[in-house]
Amino acid sequence: MARIDPKTGGSIWWDPREADWWVATNFVIGSSCFILGATPGYAQLVGADADDITYFIGSLFFTTAAWLQVLVSTGAIGRGIRTRRAARWRTVARAPREAAWWAGMVQFAGTLCFNVSTFLALQHGLSAKQANHQVWAPDFFGSIAFLVASGLAYAVVRKPWITWRPRDLDWSVATLNMVGSIAFMASALAAFVLQDGSLRNAQLANAGTWIGGVCFLLGAIFLIPEEIPSADG
């Protein structure tokens, strides 16, 4: 799936001059944090506080990636990172007509919800009602936003959508993100806090986060070579 470097004949995986490379890299780091946080035994090894901090750090990388993706989709910055004065902010006015812009904006809103949820989860001594209001609710709405964004992403994928074509990179990335979003939603539903302070289904909450993180990680990795210009481009 990787693009070929016309000079070396090898795959290009390192190109920090590209804005999309930074988008994918931030998603890779953010997803890795969520996978690590949900890995069985990690919380017991490092402690609950460190585990919560891992999620919060991951959410910040998600937000950075999503915001860069919005800027690229609006044309405010080109795919190749350029000087600040070269930013084309006037193209922002045309952006809402594009499905990619809506997907990016909804996803960005979802990452902000995850920022709130993971940050407030750092607090101690929350009652079940407080935990559901301050931590679970933002997580739930963030998961909804990711589901909607994943659905919107299919608007720019070649039809038919319901098929199996792993060699189509756009379809593969969109499908991985959709599966990841479904897993995050399952995790959010299972993480509702009961009156005794326990989760509705702790195992499902953990598994959904881990599976979702893996899907987002793979989607981001596949995106890196996709965004490198081809030799004839």
Side-chain angles (χ1 to χ4, degrees), residues 65-76:
W67 178 238
L68 281 173
Q69 198 167 46
V70 168
L71 293 180
V72 172
S73 69
T74 61

Side-chain angles (χ1 to χ4, degrees), residues 89-119:
W89 292 104
R90 282 175 292 185
T91 62
V92 174
R94 298 193 298 271
R97 294 180 246 173
E98 303 294 331
W101 181 87
W102 283 105
M105 287 300 296
V106 173
Q107 185 180 57
F108 176 63
T111 65
L112 293 179
C113 289
F114 289 146
N115 292 160
V116 173
S117 175
T118 55
F119 176 73

